[in-house]
Amino acid sequence: GESVGLHLPTLSVQEGDNSIINCAYSNSASDYFIWYKQESGKGPQFIIDIRSNMDKRQGQRVTVLLNKTVKHLSLQIAATQPGDSAVYFCAEFPGSGGSNYKLTFGKGTLLTVNP
Amino acid sequence: EAGVVQSPRYKIIEKKQPVAFWCNPISGHNTLYWYLQNLGQGPELLIRYENEEAVDDSQLPKDRFSAERLKGVDSTLKIQPAELGDSAVYLCASSLDSSNQPQHFGDGTRLSIL
């Protein structure tokens, strides 16, 4: 859901469960998307990316799904581990140039994994 | 492969003082970015460099912020004078180029203004 100020959307899961983190992006012209993981006190860490000519891409324990019709992106984490606890950001990149030619981050989601 | 290196990790200064941040990007990455991140929010772009040229500085408050990347490798970001509202984390990122390529981030400099 939407968050205001410091109140991030949160997701709490049990260790070993699968996690799904959702993101609604804003620009229908965006053609490249990235998921980042950010742990406390660290910079965003690249997890996986997807281009708009794909609707699914898999990595190690992670899958990104892209639905361009409704401008929705999701990150699925299989067998979630305590080390997956972090804030997750989706980011979109427009295909055209100009002033919007930059990576735009969505609101983060705080994932907490309970042992 | 070494990642993006930033220093210092933390900086505490009084308002109206100058401050500078340093970034060494991943070797071979032509594009370098400076971002600002406020608590609980995603990073926001301040400036983008292609080699030594600043190609997008539209979000940089130029009255007090300046940046340089003289030899197209390392970069510095400066604030003079700092204001209370500048307290944030300043992140540097780099990518091979500015097309659809992953941007890789350093761990940032956490700036606190007293």
Side-chain angles (χ1 to χ4, degrees):
Chain A
E2 291 294 319
S3 66
V4 176
L6 301 179
H7 302 287
L8 291 172
T10 59
L11 176 64
S12 183
V13 301
Q14 290 298 122
E15 181 178 1
D17 288 351
N18 296 331
S19 303
I20 300 176
I21 301 171
N22 296 303
C23 175
Y25 64 92
S26 58
N27 188 347
S28 57
S30 293
D31 65 354
Y32 179 55
F33 304 87
I34 306 176
W35 278 101
Y36 284 94
K37 170 187 180 184
Q38 188 171 26
E39 297 174 274
S40 181
K42 295 191 175 182
Q45 177 188 358
F46 172 86
I47 302 174
I48 192 168
D49 58 1
I50 188 168
R51 303 184 192 282
S52 59
N53 60 352
M54 304 172 69
D55 54 20
K56 179 179 180 179
R57 189 166 189 223
Q58 289 185 292
Q60 186 177 11
R61 282 201 307 118
V62 296
T63 301
V64 55
L65 299 177
L66 174 62
N67 185 330
K68 296 180 287 294
T69 302
V70 295
K71 295 189 288 186
H72 184 267
L73 200 64
S74 69
L75 178 70
Q76 301 177 1
I77 305 174
T80 314
Q81 303 168 1
D84 295 326
S85 295
V87 176
Y88 289 80
F89 289 98
C90 66
E92 60 181 301
F93 194 86
S96 60
S99 61
N100 290 326
Y101 195 66
K102 62 182 180 182
L103 198 61
T104 301
F105 284 77
K107 298 182 191 298
T109 296
L110 174 62
L111 175 65
T112 301
V113 182
N114 302 307
Chain B
E1 173 183 84
V4 176
V5 179
Q6 291 188 246
S7 68
R9 288 297 319 278
Y10 305 92
K11 190 73 177 179
I12 302 173
I13 61 171
E14 293 185 342
K15 63 181 180 182
K16 301 185 180 180
Q17 294 301 305
V19 64
F21 316 122
W22 175 81
C23 173
N24 182 240
I26 293 173
S27 178
H29 281 194
N30 295 322
T31 308
L32 182 146
Y33 314 79
W34 283 102
Y35 286 86
L36 177 152
Q37 185 174 29
N38 288 305
L39 185 64
Q41 299 181 26
E44 298 174 26
L45 182 69
L46 289 172
I47 189 168
R48 171 168 63 98
Y49 280 92
E50 297 291 344
N51 298 302
E52 66 275 9
E53 182 182 359
V55 296
D56 182 1
D57 62 356
S58 56
Q59 303 302 311
L60 191 72
K62 298 180 186 62
D63 57 335
R64 297 183 300 107
F65 287 65
S66 64
E68 61 183 15
R69 193 185 185 200
L70 293 176
K71 296 183 178 180
V73 180
D74 295 3
S75 177
T76 56
L77 177 68
K78 299 178 181 178
I79 309 175
Q80 182 170 11
E83 296 180 352
L84 290 174
D86 296 332
S87 295
V89 176
Y90 291 83
L91 293 162
C92 179
S94 70
S95 61
L96 283 171
D97 55 46
S98 61
S99 64
N100 294 352
Q101 295 284 341
Q103 295 181 21
H104 298 275
F105 286 80
D107 285 336
T109 297
R110 182 175 297 275
L111 176 66
S112 297
I113 311 296
L114 303 179

